[in-house]
Amino acid sequence: SDWLGFSFFFKPTISEYIYQTVAKFKTNPEDYIRHNGKLKLDYIPSTQMLAGVVTTLGVDSDSATVLNRMFSVKFFNNYDFIIIDCGPTLDLRVTNAIICADILLIPVQADPLAYKGTDNMLKTYLRIKSTASIDSDVIILPTMYHNTNIGNEILAALTSSYGKLVLSPIPYRTTAVNSSAQKSILIKRKSDE
């Protein structure tokens, strides 16, 4: 949220949206949407308050589907894609995101420990969302890739284990991307126009 330019001036965030949904208060999703004109995208900001939202989710009688209910509102049909960014910790926030999502994008650092955790993540995903199909509902994105022996070994192992699920890696360092530039690493090719 900081990277997208959000300043917290008592404007509601995703934490308040979750609370309002659990409390069954009538909400207007537009109150939570913020706009970044530079990147031409909308987002619902997060603050450190999100760390405590697990308790709020746990109060709901159907605690694993709160996000699903939030984003099933007709208003969100205006968007082609909704990305729910989660940390790697498996708690009610991540469980909610998995149940809500159509596609799971797993970023895997080009590192042996991260590679070893990929299979566990896939098993967890299928346990939580039994209706999912790994072949059509999962994408694996190698990140922090260095063109070194270990980086190439991890990339080869990912490709060998998961085949077509694996996207081309994102190089670890590039002069086009840094956290202060607010630039996207996604580039539109002329052939896509």
Side-chain angles (χ1 to χ4, degrees):
S1 297
D2 290 340
W3 187 80
L4 290 169
F6 174 70
S7 296
F8 183 68
F9 292 114
F10 303 101
K11 294 179 181 178
T13 66
I14 191 70
S15 300
E16 286 84 9
Y17 192 17
I18 289 170
Y19 175 80
Q20 298 289 333
T21 302
V22 169
K24 296 182 175 43
F25 292 147
K26 189 171 182 176
T27 58
N28 180 359
E30 288 186 86
D31 293 341
Y32 302 90
I33 301 290
R34 301 293 169 259
H35 311 283
N36 182 297
K38 188 174 184 179
L39 294 174
K40 297 181 182 171
L41 61 84
D42 293 347
Y43 65 100
I44 300 177
S46 172
T47 62
Q48 293 175 345
M49 289 175 56
L50 188 60
V53 85
V54 173
T55 305
T56 303
L57 289 168
V59 171
D60 193 273
S61 59
D62 194 2
S63 60
T65 65
V66 175
L67 286 183
N68 204 32
R69 283 179 271 143
M70 287 167 51
F71 292 108
S72 294
V73 176
K74 188 177 179 182
F75 169 81
F76 290 106
N77 292 341
N78 296 320
Y79 293 94
D80 295 324
F81 297 97
I82 297 174
I83 299 172
I84 304 172
D85 184 18
C86 298
T89 305
L90 188 61
D91 58 19
L92 263 177
R93 291 171 298 186
V94 176
T95 301
N96 263 269
I98 286 173
I99 289 172
C100 181
D102 296 318
I103 296 173
L104 176 67
L105 173 67
I106 306 174
V108 179
Q109 186 176 337
D111 176 88
L113 292 177
Y115 168 71
K116 286 180 182 177
T118 306
D119 199 49
N120 287 337
M121 181 64 203
L122 289 171
K123 287 177 183 171
T124 301
Y125 175 61
L126 289 176
R127 190 179 74 244
I128 292 171
K129 192 163 186 173
S130 56
T131 58
S133 164
I134 286 183
D135 288 342
S136 59
D137 300 336
V138 175
I139 299 171
I140 296 173
L141 176 64
T143 63
M144 297 182 146
Y145 168 75
H146 294 275
N147 188 10
T148 60
N149 287 342
I150 193 71
N152 290 324
E153 285 175 20
I154 297 301
L155 187 58
L158 281 169
T159 304
S160 173
S161 298
Y162 305 110
K164 66 178 184 173
L165 304 181
V166 182
L167 297 177
S168 297
I170 295 176
Y172 183 49
R173 295 281 181 220
T174 173
T175 56
V177 180
N178 68 57
S179 61
S180 63
Q182 287 189 330
K183 288 186 177 179
S184 172
I185 60 169
L186 304 175
I187 300 168
K188 188 174 188 178
R189 295 175 297 197
K190 289 202 177 246
S191 60
D192 294 337
E193 293 178 348

mmCIF file of all heavy atoms in Angstrom, residues 115 118-120 122 134 140 157-166:
data_model
loop_
_atom_site.group_PDB
_atom_site.id
_atom_site.type_symbol
_atom_site.label_atom_id
_atom_site.label_comp_id
_atom_site.label_asym_id
_atom_site.label_seq_id
_atom_site.Cartn_x
_atom_site.Cartn_y
_atom_site.Cartn_z
ATOM 1 N N TYR A 115 12.206 -23.997 -2.869
ATOM 2 C CA TYR A 115 11.781 -25.072 -3.769
ATOM 3 C C TYR A 115 11.165 -26.224 -2.974
ATOM 4 O O TYR A 115 10.118 -26.755 -3.333
ATOM 5 C CB TYR A 115 12.962 -25.573 -4.607
ATOM 6 C CG TYR A 115 12.663 -26.847 -5.345
ATOM 7 C CD1 TYR A 115 11.792 -26.849 -6.430
ATOM 8 C CD2 TYR A 115 13.223 -28.064 -4.937
ATOM 9 C CE1 TYR A 115 11.495 -28.026 -7.104
ATOM 10 C CE2 TYR A 115 12.926 -29.234 -5.604
ATOM 11 C CZ TYR A 115 12.062 -29.215 -6.684
ATOM 12 O OH TYR A 115 11.763 -30.373 -7.340
ATOM 13 N N THR A 118 7.519 -25.761 -1.979
ATOM 14 C CA THR A 118 6.497 -25.646 -3.030
ATOM 15 C C THR A 118 5.502 -26.797 -2.982
ATOM 16 O O THR A 118 4.288 -26.597 -3.068
ATOM 17 C CB THR A 118 7.164 -25.585 -4.421
ATOM 18 O OG1 THR A 118 8.130 -24.546 -4.429
ATOM 19 C CG2 THR A 118 6.144 -25.332 -5.511
ATOM 20 N N ASP A 119 6.000 -28.011 -2.839
ATOM 21 C CA ASP A 119 5.114 -29.173 -2.808
ATOM 22 C C ASP A 119 4.171 -29.104 -1.609
ATOM 23 O O ASP A 119 2.983 -29.424 -1.723
ATOM 24 C CB ASP A 119 5.940 -30.458 -2.771
ATOM 25 C CG ASP A 119 5.117 -31.664 -3.194
ATOM 26 O OD1 ASP A 119 4.461 -31.578 -4.251
ATOM 27 O OD2 ASP A 119 5.112 -32.666 -2.458
ATOM 28 N N ASN A 120 4.689 -28.656 -0.459
ATOM 29 C CA ASN A 120 3.835 -28.511 0.726
ATOM 30 C C ASN A 120 2.735 -27.488 0.488
ATOM 31 O O ASN A 120 1.597 -27.671 0.914
ATOM 32 C CB ASN A 120 4.664 -28.103 1.952
ATOM 33 C CG ASN A 120 5.503 -29.243 2.469
ATOM 34 O OD1 ASN A 120 5.197 -30.403 2.232
ATOM 35 N ND2 ASN A 120 6.570 -28.920 3.164
ATOM 36 N N LEU A 122 1.382 -26.701 -2.399
ATOM 37 C CA LEU A 122 0.393 -27.289 -3.308
ATOM 38 C C LEU A 122 -0.520 -28.267 -2.573
ATOM 39 O O LEU A 122 -1.733 -28.288 -2.789
ATOM 40 C CB LEU A 122 1.092 -27.992 -4.478
ATOM 41 C CG LEU A 122 1.747 -27.054 -5.488
ATOM 42 C CD1 LEU A 122 2.592 -27.851 -6.474
ATOM 43 C CD2 LEU A 122 0.718 -26.229 -6.216
ATOM 44 N N ILE A 134 -4.754 -28.529 -9.978
ATOM 45 C CA ILE A 134 -3.431 -27.909 -10.068
ATOM 46 C C ILE A 134 -3.106 -27.535 -11.514
ATOM 47 O O ILE A 134 -2.563 -26.472 -11.787
ATOM 48 C CB ILE A 134 -2.350 -28.842 -9.474
ATOM 49 C CG1 ILE A 134 -2.489 -28.831 -7.952
ATOM 50 C CG2 ILE A 134 -0.955 -28.420 -9.895
ATOM 51 C CD1 ILE A 134 -1.473 -29.642 -7.220
ATOM 52 N N ILE A 140 3.212 -21.117 -11.080
ATOM 53 C CA ILE A 140 4.413 -20.989 -10.253
ATOM 54 C C ILE A 140 5.345 -19.979 -10.912
ATOM 55 O O ILE A 140 5.686 -20.112 -12.086
ATOM 56 C CB ILE A 140 5.111 -22.350 -10.080
ATOM 57 C CG1 ILE A 140 4.176 -23.296 -9.324
ATOM 58 C CG2 ILE A 140 6.441 -22.197 -9.346
ATOM 59 C CD1 ILE A 140 4.657 -24.721 -9.211
ATOM 60 N N ALA A 157 14.751 -27.815 -11.644
ATOM 61 C CA ALA A 157 13.973 -28.682 -10.751
ATOM 62 C C ALA A 157 12.491 -28.286 -10.766
ATOM 63 O O ALA A 157 11.610 -29.154 -10.791
ATOM 64 C CB ALA A 157 14.533 -28.611 -9.332
ATOM 65 N N LEU A 158 12.220 -26.977 -10.739
ATOM 66 C CA LEU A 158 10.837 -26.520 -10.807
ATOM 67 C C LEU A 158 10.174 -26.969 -12.099
ATOM 68 O O LEU A 158 9.052 -27.488 -12.107
ATOM 69 C CB LEU A 158 10.770 -24.990 -10.700
ATOM 70 C CG LEU A 158 10.902 -24.374 -9.312
ATOM 71 C CD1 LEU A 158 11.088 -22.867 -9.417
ATOM 72 C CD2 LEU A 158 9.698 -24.703 -8.448
ATOM 73 N N THR A 159 10.886 -26.784 -13.211
ATOM 74 C CA THR A 159 10.348 -27.150 -14.519
ATOM 75 C C THR A 159 10.142 -28.660 -14.618
ATOM 76 O O THR A 159 9.134 -29.130 -15.139
ATOM 77 C CB THR A 159 11.278 -26.662 -15.640
ATOM 78 O OG1 THR A 159 11.457 -25.253 -15.489
ATOM 79 C CG2 THR A 159 10.701 -26.936 -17.008
ATOM 80 N N SER A 160 11.094 -29.422 -14.072
ATOM 81 C CA SER A 160 10.988 -30.876 -14.097
ATOM 82 C C SER A 160 9.807 -31.353 -13.250
ATOM 83 O O SER A 160 9.078 -32.267 -13.632
ATOM 84 C CB SER A 160 12.291 -31.490 -13.588
ATOM 85 O OG SER A 160 12.163 -32.877 -13.453
ATOM 86 N N SER A 161 9.619 -30.732 -12.087
ATOM 87 C CA SER A 161 8.556 -31.154 -11.171
ATOM 88 C C SER A 161 7.173 -30.672 -11.595
ATOM 89 O O SER A 161 6.186 -31.388 -11.430
ATOM 90 C CB SER A 161 8.832 -30.636 -9.762
ATOM 91 O OG SER A 161 10.018 -31.170 -9.255
ATOM 92 N N TYR A 162 7.103 -29.431 -12.124
ATOM 93 C CA TYR A 162 5.786 -28.814 -12.329
ATOM 94 C C TYR A 162 5.511 -28.402 -13.773
ATOM 95 O O TYR A 162 4.445 -27.863 -14.058
ATOM 96 C CB TYR A 162 5.633 -27.617 -11.385
ATOM 97 C CG TYR A 162 5.873 -27.998 -9.943
ATOM 98 C CD1 TYR A 162 7.010 -27.566 -9.267
ATOM 99 C CD2 TYR A 162 4.986 -28.828 -9.270
ATOM 100 C CE1 TYR A 162 7.246 -27.945 -7.952
ATOM 101 C CE2 TYR A 162 5.208 -29.213 -7.961
ATOM 102 C CZ TYR A 162 6.341 -28.765 -7.308
ATOM 103 O OH TYR A 162 6.584 -29.147 -6.015
ATOM 104 N N GLY A 163 6.450 -28.632 -14.664
ATOM 105 C CA GLY A 163 6.243 -28.449 -16.100
ATOM 106 C C GLY A 163 5.630 -27.133 -16.510
ATOM 107 O O GLY A 163 6.134 -26.060 -16.211
ATOM 108 N N LYS A 164 4.469 -27.214 -17.175
ATOM 109 C CA LYS A 164 3.839 -26.038 -17.774
ATOM 110 C C LYS A 164 3.293 -25.049 -16.749
ATOM 111 O O LYS A 164 2.898 -23.936 -17.108
ATOM 112 C CB LYS A 164 2.728 -26.452 -18.731
ATOM 113 C CG LYS A 164 1.555 -27.124 -18.045
ATOM 114 C CD LYS A 164 0.460 -27.476 -19.020
ATOM 115 C CE LYS A 164 -0.728 -28.051 -18.257
ATOM 116 N NZ LYS A 164 -1.883 -28.264 -19.088
ATOM 117 N N LEU A 165 3.268 -25.423 -15.477
ATOM 118 C CA LEU A 165 2.806 -24.490 -14.441
ATOM 119 C C LEU A 165 3.815 -23.370 -14.193
ATOM 120 O O LEU A 165 3.479 -22.338 -13.637
ATOM 121 C CB LEU A 165 2.580 -25.216 -13.109
ATOM 122 C CG LEU A 165 1.639 -26.410 -13.077
ATOM 123 C CD1 LEU A 165 1.549 -26.958 -11.659
ATOM 124 C CD2 LEU A 165 0.265 -26.035 -13.597
ATOM 125 N N VAL A 166 5.076 -23.600 -14.585
ATOM 126 C CA VAL A 166 6.173 -22.689 -14.250
ATOM 127 C C VAL A 166 6.329 -21.603 -15.316
ATOM 128 O O VAL A 166 6.513 -21.895 -16.500
ATOM 129 C CB VAL A 166 7.499 -23.463 -14.082
ATOM 130 C CG1 VAL A 166 8.632 -22.518 -13.684
ATOM 131 C CG2 VAL A 166 7.343 -24.578 -13.057
#
